[in-house]
Amino acid sequence: MEQEIIDVLIAFDAETIISKFGTNTNATAPVQITDNSLIFMITKQADVVSGNAGNELNIKAQTLDVIRWRETSLNMDATYTGILYKFEAPVGGNLVSTPTPLEIDVNVPLPDPSNPTVPKTQAIKDYFWQCTVQEAGNVTYHFSFMVVDRHGIVQGYFWWDPFITIAA
């Protein structure tokens, strides 16, 4: 069995989340997002049990696979962005290592208007959450996230609950 990295992209409709659920500045009591049209989780089709591009993506994994979560907002973080800040697994949490955020240095390609066929790059700090699958079974987890405005001011704290199915 070969180890696989399963990348999950989470896109928040952050502007609508704030307008629909309002501001909530209590990080220890985030508001649950129950509207299925506000969070979109995407991964490769080969890693999907169900729900690709929905808010309750159920991914399949095997022991020793690595799962990585990254997030953005639908407006590509120009006005609001979502930032994951807490992972909880009330069901099957012992089946995966505790996910943690890992900060990394990356070079991001950008278009160069003076030479459109050769991109330039910009060095930035980025991050993703990562865990390792340890045992077969089913995991129901909650990710809590904050929505911040373009000035870095927290507008609210929220959560939702997707799934992981781990094959033996």
Side-chain angles (χ1 to χ4, degrees):
M1 174 174 31
E2 194 170 313
Q3 180 186 45
E4 181 182 352
I5 294 176
I6 300 169
D7 286 305
V8 177
L9 176 63
I10 304 163
F12 298 106
D13 184 350
E15 190 168 346
T16 303
I17 287 171
I18 293 298
S19 69
K20 186 170 185 169
F21 292 91
T23 57
N24 167 31
T25 56
N26 186 348
T28 61
V31 173
Q32 182 178 9
I33 300 299
T34 55
D35 185 334
N36 294 341
S37 68
L38 302 177
I39 300 173
F40 310 91
M41 299 177 68
I42 303 165
T43 193
K44 296 180 305 226
Q45 194 61 41
D47 296 327
V48 174
V49 173
S50 63
N52 208 11
N55 75 328
E56 290 196 344
L57 173 64
N58 184 357
I59 59 175
K60 59 185 170 187
Q62 295 183 13
T63 303
L64 298 179
D65 285 352
V66 173
I67 303 170
R68 293 180 178 164
W69 294 268
R70 293 173 174 84
E71 75 277 8
T72 190
S73 64
L74 291 181
N75 66 13
M76 293 297 293
D77 305 334
T79 307
Y80 293 106
T81 191
I83 300 173
L84 303 172
Y85 71 90
K86 184 178 178 183
F87 178 95
E88 295 178 282
V91 177
N94 60 317
L95 305 177
V96 295
S97 65
T98 302
T100 56
L102 299 174
E103 187 175 295
I104 55 173
D105 294 315
V106 295
N107 289 315
V108 177
L110 299 169
D112 184 350
S114 65
N115 190 359
T117 62
V118 179
K120 57 185 177 178
T121 62
Q122 173 180 312
I124 65 167
K125 295 263 186 211
D126 202 356
Y127 81 101
F128 53 86
W129 283 70
Q130 177 174 293
C131 76
T132 301
V133 175
Q134 297 175 328
E135 291 183 51
N138 294 309
V139 181
T140 299
Y141 64 96
H142 308 305
F143 252 127
S144 296
F145 66 98
M146 65 186 92
V147 173
V148 298
D149 66 16
R150 64 183 174 190
H151 306 291
I153 298 170
V154 175
Q155 300 298 304
Y157 295 95
F158 308 94
W159 70 277
W160 88 109
D161 61 342
F163 313 92
I164 303 170
T165 301
I166 304 165

